[in-house]
Amino acid sequence: MSDICVEITGLKKSFGPLEVLKNIDLTVNRGDVVCIIGPSGSGKSTLLRCINLLEEPNDGKIVVNDVELTDPDVDIDQARTKIGMVFQSFNLFAHLNVMNNLTVAQRKVLKRSEQSANEIAMRNLERVGLREKANAMPAQLSGGQQQRVAIARALSMDPEVMLFDEPTSALDPELVGDVLGVMRQLADEGMTMLVVTHEMQFAREVADKVIFMDGGYIVEAGPAAEVIGNPQEERTKSFLSRVLDPTHQGPAQ
C-alpha cells in the first residue's frame, strides 16, 4: 500500500449552474491530519462528501486507499467500508440503543458475528470514554456524547481514513472539548483524518496540513504554522482576522 491515502485530481462539482468545486487537487499522506477551513459556502463539506461519493463529482479523479472511487466499475459499497464519516448532526439511529448503533453495520456489511461485533463496539466505546452508555438510547445522551458514539460507530468499521464534517458545530460550547479530545487521541494513534472545522486552535495544534478554501478553490495550503500563523493570501488573512478576532471589522467580503 502506498504512503498516499487520498489523492484528488481535477475535481469539479456543480449543482445545476452553481459551480461548487473548481478543479481541486489534493494529496493526503497516510497518518496525516488535514484540517479544511474557510467561509460558509466555500465548498468544504462538498469536497468531503465527494471523497466517499455521497456527492458524485462532475469531473476529476478520486483515489482512496489505492482504489479509484471515480472508476465506473468500482464497488463503491466495498470501498466505503474503509472510509469513516462523522457528520455535523450525529445521524445515530434513534430507535436503536448505542450498542446496536455500533454493531448493525458491522454485522450486515462486514458480516461479523454478533460476539465479534459486540467486542469491537465495546472496545471503541472505551476509546471514546462511553463504555457505560452501551445500553442507552441516543435521546438519553447529550449532544457531545452522541457525537462520540458516532465516532465510535465509524471506528467500528476499521476505516483507514476518517472524514469529519464540522463535528462540533452543533454542540454546546462546553461539550466541544470532549469530542476534540477524542479526535486528538485518534490523531496521536496515527489515523488519517480530513476535518472540516471552525476550531482554529485544534487545527493549529493537531493538523499536519491546513487547507483554506474559498469560492470553490483551494486558496492556500500548508503547515498550520504557515497557513494560520503566517498566511500569504489576502483572502486567508481576511478570513482568519475575522475568525480569530470576531470584533475585527474588515471590509465586507
Side-chain angles (χ1 to χ4, degrees), residues 1-7 29-30 63 65-66:
M1 203 172 262
S2 73
D3 289 339
I4 296 173
C5 186
V6 179
E7 189 166 24
N29 289 325
R30 207 167 291 284
V63 178
N65 300 320
D66 299 325

Coordinates of all heavy atoms in Angstrom, one line a residue, residues 1-7 29-30 63 65-66:
M1 N 0.8 -1.2 0.0 CA 0.0 0.0 0.0 C 0.9 1.2 0.0 O 1.9 1.3 0.7 CB -0.9 0.0 1.2 CG -2.2 0.8 1.1 SD -3.3 0.6 2.5 CE -4.4 -0.6 1.8
S2 N 0.5 2.2 -0.8 CA 1.4 3.4 -0.9 C 1.2 4.3 0.3 O 0.4 4.2 1.1 CB 0.9 4.2 -2.2 OG -0.3 4.9 -2.0
D3 N 2.1 5.3 0.4 CA 2.1 6.3 1.5 C 1.0 7.3 1.3 O 0.6 8.0 2.3 CB 3.4 7.0 1.6 CG 4.6 6.1 2.1 OD1 4.3 5.1 2.7 OD2 5.7 6.4 1.8
I4 N 0.4 7.3 0.1 CA -0.7 8.3 -0.1 C -2.0 7.6 0.2 O -2.3 6.5 -0.3 CB -0.7 8.8 -1.6 CG1 0.6 9.6 -1.8 CG2 -1.9 9.6 -1.9 CD1 0.8 10.0 -3.3
C5 N -2.8 8.2 1.0 CA -4.1 7.7 1.4 C -5.2 8.2 0.5 O -6.1 7.5 0.1 CB -4.4 8.0 2.9 SG -5.9 7.2 3.5
V6 N -5.2 9.5 0.3 CA -6.2 10.2 -0.6 C -5.5 11.0 -1.6 O -4.6 11.8 -1.3 CB -7.2 11.1 0.3 CG1 -8.2 11.7 -0.6 CG2 -7.8 10.3 1.4
E7 N -5.9 10.8 -2.9 CA -5.3 11.6 -4.0 C -6.5 12.1 -4.9 O -7.2 11.3 -5.4 CB -4.3 10.8 -4.8 CG -3.6 11.7 -5.8 CD -2.4 10.9 -6.3 OE1 -2.3 9.7 -6.3 OE2 -1.4 11.6 -6.8
N29 N -1.3 12.2 2.8 CA -0.5 11.1 3.2 C -1.1 10.3 4.3 O -1.8 10.8 5.2 CB 0.9 11.5 3.5 CG 1.7 12.0 2.4 OD1 1.5 11.5 1.2 ND2 2.5 13.1 2.6
R30 N -0.8 9.0 4.3 CA -1.3 8.1 5.4 C -0.8 8.6 6.7 O 0.4 8.9 6.9 CB -0.8 6.7 5.1 CG -1.6 5.6 5.6 CD -1.2 4.3 5.0 NE -1.5 4.2 3.6 CZ -2.7 4.0 3.1 NH1 -3.7 3.8 3.9 NH2 -2.9 3.9 1.8
V63 N -8.9 8.9 -5.6 CA -8.3 7.6 -5.3 C -8.1 7.6 -3.7 O -7.5 8.5 -3.1 CB -6.9 7.4 -5.9 CG1 -6.3 6.1 -5.5 CG2 -7.0 7.5 -7.4
N65 N -7.1 4.9 -0.6 CA -6.5 3.6 -0.3 C -6.2 2.8 -1.5 O -6.5 1.6 -1.6 CB -7.5 2.8 0.6 CG -7.7 3.5 2.0 OD1 -6.8 4.1 2.5 ND2 -9.0 3.5 2.4
D66 N -5.7 3.4 -2.6 CA -5.3 2.8 -3.8 C -6.4 2.3 -4.7 O -6.2 1.6 -5.6 CB -4.3 1.6 -3.6 CG -3.0 2.1 -2.9 OD1 -2.6 3.2 -3.2 OD2 -2.5 1.3 -2.1

